[in-house]
Amino acid sequence: MRAKWRMPHPATMFLILTMAVVFLSWIFNVYDLSVLHPETGKEIYVQSLLSPEGIRWWLRHVVTNFTSFAPLGMVMIAMFGIGVAQHSGFIDACIRLVARRGTHSGLIITSVIVLGILSNVVGDAGYIILLPIAAALFHSAGLHPVGGIITAYVSVACGYSANVVMSTLDPLLAITTQEAADQAFVSSGQMGPLCNYYFFAASVFLLVPVVYAITRHHLLPLLGTYAGEIRFGGYKQLSRKERRAMQIALLACLLYVLLILGATFSSWGILRGVNGSLMRSPFIMGILFLLSFGIGLTGMVFGFVSGRYRSDGDVIEGLTYPMKLLGVYFVIAFFASQMFACLEYSQLDKCVAIMGADMLASLRMDSMWILILFILFVAVVNLFMVSATAKWAFMAFIFVPVLSRMGISPETAQCAFRIGDSATNAITPFMFYMPLVLTYMQQYDRKSTYGSLLKYTWRYSVCILFVWILLFILWHSVGLPLGL
């Protein structure tokens, strides 16, 4: 009998993707594929990774490709804090306090979705911190823990543009949009980071029920009942000592938060930028460390007050607690880092994306149809070029002038871009945090691969993209303002 075909291990998948990038870079280099960057006018051409120079580049950078892989350091820093909080029993105590017997599972699902969508206010921290907590919460409610990981991942990834407050991405995109409008002499006034605020704040109330419905009616029935090795400790009530430790730990957390807020927003303001702004300030650039340190500090206080910790050696043991999980992540991340580095060196993604953008910009259609095609085009490009700022850095200089000639404002073009950029984040294998997501999934199901992740997430991306486009059409047809 023929063996059933299965997806390879995540590390093997990234190795195969690297080989595909190498092969395609050679093919396109043979045919001299090149494009002009719309902002600088500089020629961009595909660099072959099989050429002598390409081979020498890879051998020189194989180590630094791995050590400079951005998510690697971020994951390690975040895991230190999470490790202490988990090892000390603080996270378990929080779950026992919140998820009491009879707690409605719908409340837990909704909370995970909301936290995931709003997490972009602290950048990419949601990918690292929220996913393991969501798995534990789902497990405590009798739901499949992989369902918690998938729900949190989809909420963070697909809802990356939606929020009721300003995120770290808003000012970065607005600056590029303004530059593209100024270069094309498009009269748009001075656009601020909140130029799409109204639309994406309303989007939160659209995405939450969509993600909830798919999770409840499709994901959880597909996963079934969890029968793995990791067991939930039960709904044992907190002891008097644990409740006291919880109160003191939360008080320490509150004081820490007040200290950080004071150091950021007071007249002292050492965590603001040199010009007084928050953009690229120590607060924004170090937000993941600040969160990890705060979580670890809270867990450490809980551990000492509850009696779980008695010396600094116990704290160090907590810091090393997640290393077993990270061992698998390091292997996957090594192959993923080589793939991302090879893709960047070859410039294959930029050339293909700019060619597609030029072709789309040459079409002559009704403005609304062009906007819809633009959203779909960005959603497709996002499958192999995931950085929003990198994509918008050249797309803005192509589409802002083209769409302005059709009477479409730059902020509308930016809004359409962000819809396509977010909707397919959950299904692309080129997502920077894909190795971590697969590692979290393999903790509960060792057979988890990119194929199984895609099986769970494709419906979210398709539905979110569809309803978001409908909202955009309705918003545009009514003439509501997109933002401030």
Side-chain angles (χ1 to χ4, degrees):
M1 186 176 177
R2 239 172 136 179
K4 185 178 179 181
W5 181 85
R6 64 179 181 84
M7 285 288 292
H9 189 278
T12 308
M13 182 198 75
F14 282 111
L15 175 61
I16 295 172
L17 287 174
T18 304
M19 295 170 63
V21 170
V22 171
F23 176 74
L24 290 174
S25 72
W26 171 67
I27 289 292
F28 285 110
N29 179 263
V30 168
Y31 287 96
D32 292 324
L33 176 65
S34 65
V35 295
L36 293 178
H37 195 285
E39 179 186 9
T40 63
K42 180 182 177 182
E43 185 178 18
I44 301 176
Y45 59 91
V46 176
Q47 302 182 103
S48 173
L49 286 153
L50 289 180
S51 66
E53 180 56 34
I55 294 172
R56 286 195 292 266
W57 168 85
W58 185 77
L59 289 175
R60 285 196 302 264
H61 294 86
V62 62
V63 175
T64 55
N65 287 343
F66 178 55
T67 56
S68 61
F69 185 47
L72 183 65
M74 296 173 68
V75 168
M76 291 183 65
I77 292 297
M79 281 300 184
F80 285 146
I82 294 174
V84 172
Q86 191 170 6
H87 182 259
S88 67
F90 175 71
I91 292 180
D92 176 67
C94 289
I95 292 174
R96 285 161 53 197
L97 182 66
V98 174
R100 298 175 181 176
R101 188 179 299 278
T103 302
H104 196 278
S105 58
L107 180 60
I108 290 179
I109 297 173
T110 303
S111 300
V112 168
I113 296 170
V114 172
L115 288 174
I117 293 176
L118 300 184
S119 67
N120 60 58
V121 71
V122 290
D124 296 338
Y127 289 109
I128 306 171
I129 297 175
L130 182 60
L131 270 61
I133 295 175
L137 284 172
F138 270 53
H139 200 184
S140 69
L143 306 174
H144 203 296
V146 172
I149 295 172
I150 299 297
T151 303
Y153 172 58
V154 168
S155 302
V156 175
C158 294
Y160 200 72
S161 287
N163 212 318
V164 294
V165 295
M166 188 176 73
S167 70
T168 55
L169 189 63
D170 292 321
L172 299 177
L173 294 181
I175 288 174
T176 303
T177 306
Q178 185 68 59
E179 290 176 354
D182 292 342
Q183 181 172 308
F185 301 104
V186 176
S187 178
S188 60
Q190 191 68 29
M191 287 179 296
L194 299 177
C195 61
N196 295 150
Y197 173 74
Y198 294 148
F199 180 82
F200 287 114
S203 297
V204 173
F205 301 95
L206 174 71
L207 298 185
V208 170
V210 171
V211 176
Y212 179 89
I214 298 174
T215 299
R216 174 64 79 182
H217 300 295
H218 293 281
L219 177 64
L220 294 177
L222 185 64
L223 288 169
T225 304
Y226 176 67
E229 300 175 358
I230 300 177
R231 300 296 177 186
F232 176 56
Y235 295 95
K236 181 181 177 182
Q237 289 187 347
L238 297 180
S239 65
R240 179 179 299 178
K241 194 172 186 179
E242 287 176 322
R243 286 197 298 271
R244 179 171 174 269
M246 176 70 73
Q247 292 171 353
I248 296 177
L250 292 178
L251 177 60
C253 179
L254 177 61
L255 293 175
Y256 174 77
V257 170
L258 292 176
L259 176 63
I260 297 301
L261 292 178
T264 304
F265 298 103
S266 69
S267 56
W268 182 32
I270 63 169
L271 296 186
R272 289 203 303 270
V274 291
N275 60 353
S277 69
L278 285 179
M279 188 175 176
R280 298 197 175 278
S281 64
F283 175 76
I284 294 297
M285 302 301 289
I287 188 66
L288 184 64
F289 171 76
L290 294 174
L291 284 173
S292 178
F293 185 83
I295 293 172
L297 176 66
T298 306
M300 184 179 68
V301 172
F302 179 87
F304 278 112
V305 177
S306 66
R308 174 69 188 270
Y309 285 172
R310 298 184 182 278
S311 68
D312 62 322
D314 296 325
V315 180
I316 301 302
E317 186 179 346
L319 291 171
T320 61
Y321 185 73
M323 288 303 117
K324 182 179 179 181
L325 173 65
L326 288 182
V328 179
Y329 171 73
F330 289 151
V331 174
I332 300 175
F334 172 78
F335 291 100
S337 64
Q338 303 306 318
M339 185 268 295
F340 283 112
C342 288
L343 188 64
E344 182 179 359
Y345 173 82
S346 69
Q347 303 189 105
L348 182 64
D349 54 345
K350 296 184 181 68
C351 288
V352 174
I354 292 176
M355 284 182 62
D358 288 335
M359 291 176 60
L360 180 60
S362 65
L363 296 177
R364 294 294 176 264
M365 303 175 67
D366 179 75
S367 60
M368 179 51 69
W369 282 109
I370 284 291
L371 283 170
I372 294 174
L373 288 177
F374 177 49
I375 293 172
L376 296 176
F377 171 73
V378 174
V380 172
V381 171
N382 193 53
L383 294 177
F384 59 88
M385 190 177 185
V386 295
S387 172
T389 53
K391 285 196 299 290
W392 193 232
F394 68 83
M395 285 190 181
F397 293 90
I398 296 176
F399 287 102
V400 167
V402 170
L403 294 177
S404 66
R405 289 195 290 269
M406 300 179 183
I408 298 173
S409 65
E411 53 266 31
T412 302
Q414 177 183 292
C415 183
F417 167 81
R418 296 186 68 177
I419 294 173
D421 174 68
S422 294
T424 53
N425 276 338
I427 60 176
T428 171
F430 293 94
M431 167 61 68
F432 291 145
Y433 295 96
M434 181 65 69
L436 182 64
V437 177
L438 294 173
T439 301
Y440 282 143
M441 291 176 63
Q442 289 202 336
Q443 186 181 13
Y444 294 95
D445 182 2
R446 297 187 183 277
K447 296 181 180 180
S448 295
T449 64
Y450 170 70
S452 55
L453 178 64
L454 183 62
K455 179 178 69 174
Y456 300 139
T457 57
W458 72 266
R459 186 176 280 105
Y460 287 99
S461 283
V462 171
C463 292
I464 287 174
L465 182 60
F466 178 72
V467 298
W468 226 342
I469 290 176
L470 289 181
L471 178 64
F472 181 73
I473 294 173
L474 177 63
W475 203 281
H476 189 267
S477 61
V478 174
L480 296 174
L482 290 171
L484 299 172

